Each structure stands twice: as structure tokens, then as C-alpha cells.
Amino acid sequence: MTLSLDDVSLIGSGLSRPECVLATAKGDLYTADWRGGVAHLRPDGTQTLYTGQTADLPEGLRPNGIALEPDGSFLLANLGSEAGGVWRVTRDGQVAPYWTQIDGAPIAPSNYLVRDHVGRLWLTVSTTMVPRSLDYRSDSKSGFIAVMDEKGARIVADGLGFTNECQISQDRRWLYVNETYGRRLSRFALRDDASLGPKEVIHEFGEGQFPDGLAFDIEGKIWIAGVISNQLMRIDPESGHCEIMLSETDPAHVAWVEQAYQANALGRPHMDTNPSTKLRNLSSIAFGGPDLRTGYLGCLLGDAIAVTRLDVAGVPPVHWLY
């Protein structure tokens, strides 16, 4: 079923860069918010912002990816201008570092994090270049994936093309990751010790398609949120076939961005000026609703969450019953 923009509504108000969205069985939605924490949208329409301050982060929290913990607190992948790593924020405003170094070195500004089925924490760092925009290139290769478990923290894959969201498949055999400026969906065989096999490229994206967020449906297909093209895509991981399910693409904007990308001249203005109205630089998808057939769509430029009904249910995330 291909969707139209008429099928999309907006919920929430006054959000700031709601890049990552989490949904729960209770109907709660949580989203990263650049006012310095996590915004909570309740089923009754009320909103709360959970935020706090710490002297360790003078510019405040800059959450990109977020994870909901069993105790109701949140872990945030901090995308600061200099500070990265993982930080915990509680609902009463306490902020504390959780994971800020690997092998004694500070973690660079960080993109995404997710708990898996056995409690391991996976973290992606898109680039180690400063400023980050220097790596908005097809030959980007400083991104990495790290894991923290009972054995400690370590990098398990590197040399990636601007690492974005990662997820473990429902059969727990694969770790999938979007390489945004490499314009690839890739996967690694997942071993019991959290080490990864060689990278396999599942799909290479085309003009204007920069993959950001991803989620699995119960049929094993992967839903991809693409910035710039503002497309919600569905990929068969075995064949690599990609179907565009929803789109708010501005051809002139895509052409302008594509020209800069091919010339290795892509910069912040190309990312920050998308003329869309509903999918404001689409960045993530979360399946929710009582039947897990509602898609909640995060974005980089908007102040609300886009919502649409889908014809297939999603796989419930680890935090679904929290």
C-alpha cells in the first residue's frame, strides 16, 4: 500500500528537532528534543519535557538517538558540537554521564543508541571529523559502531560511511545499519559475543536518498526513513528490492543537494533548508498503536511528529512494555 500525504497527520507541538521517536504499548511517545532532553507525548494529548543541566555539558544536552530504560529514565546519544557519548537523564531532571570513553579516549559526537534483547547497548558515531559536515561525502569512512556489555566497551565495526541508526533483526542473526552519506543499508552477522562478521551491503540508495532511521516489520522487511528525499522506504533484505511507501520529495531541492553531493560540496545549508511541510527532513520511524500498525515519523526540521496508518505491523521494540 503506497501512502499519500493526505494519510499523514501531525501530533505534538513546540517540539525541537524530534529526530528519534519511541512508542510504547501504553500509547506513550517519547522523542529526542533539542531543548535539552526528551519530550513525552501522552495519549491524552498532554506533553512534558524531561531535561536537566550538568557542568560537564556547557551547551546542554543535544540528544539525537534516545533509549527508554526499565526504570523510566532515558539514555541519550549526545550530538554536541564537541561532546558525544551516552548520558542518562531522569524524569526529575538529573543528568549524569553513562558512557563517554572507549579505550580511554572521549567518544566523538554520537548519533544513535539502542538496547538489545540481552541488555547490550549499541552506539553509533557517524564521523570523527570536525566539523561533521566535512564528512558529508560519498567516500565518508570514519563512522563506527560500538557496544557496551558485561565485558566493557569496544568498537566492533569501523570505516563506515556516516553511521546512523542500527537495529538487530528479529531472528537476532544480523545487525543492520544505515550509512547515510555512503548511501547504503548494510548488515553484519551478529555473533554471541557481540562481535560482528564482515559487512554486507544490502541496498545502495539513489539520487537524493540519504538513509537515516530504520525499523523492522513482522514480515522481515526493513522500513527506512530518508532525509532530503523525504521518503519512507521498505526494503526486502534478501533481494534488496526497495519500495517507496510515502514521499514528500521536492525535485528542485533534491537536484540542488545532489549536485553538491557529487561535487563533495555538501554542507549544512543543504540539510537545513528542505521546503517540505509534513515530512520535515524525515529521520526515523517507530511502529506503535495497539496493533503496531501506526507509523510515528521523526524529523530534523519540524516541531511535531508525523503519524500514518500502515498495512503491516512492526516488530515490538525492547522497550515496548516499559
Side-chain angles (χ1 to χ4, degrees), residues 199-234:
K199 185 176 81 170
E200 300 179 15
V201 175
I202 300 305
H203 182 79
E204 295 195 52
F205 295 89
E207 183 173 303
Q209 295 178 323
F210 297 89
D212 193 326
L214 69 107
F216 290 92
D217 67 34
I218 59 172
E219 296 178 358
K221 306 298 192 297
I222 304 169
W223 292 67
I224 303 286
V227 297
I228 302 299
S229 66
N230 273 328
Q231 291 173 337
L232 183 62
M233 297 166 275
R234 188 180 188 228

Side-chain angles (χ1 to χ4, degrees), residues 253-309:
H253 182 66
V254 166
W256 177 56
V257 170
E258 190 68 20
Q259 182 181 32
Y261 177 72
Q262 296 298 336
N264 288 328
L266 201 61
R268 285 312 316 175
H270 301 94
M271 301 301 297
D272 294 341
T273 53
N274 201 310
S276 56
T277 59
K278 281 189 173 179
L279 309 180
R280 300 282 291 128
N281 249 6
L282 182 64
S283 60
S284 68
I285 175 172
F287 287 91
D291 57 2
L292 282 159
R293 290 176 182 257
T294 300
Y296 296 100
L297 308 178
C299 68
L300 299 178
L301 300 180
D303 60 2
I305 297 170
V307 184
T308 188
R309 289 290 292 169

Side-chain angles (χ1 to χ4, degrees), residues 82 84-85 99-110 123 125 128 144 146 153-155:
E82 297 182 3
W99 175 17
T100 58
Q101 293 188 340
I102 298 176
D103 295 332
I107 299 175
S110 303
L123 176 70
V125 169
T128 57
F144 65 82
R154 57 206 179 275
I155 293 173

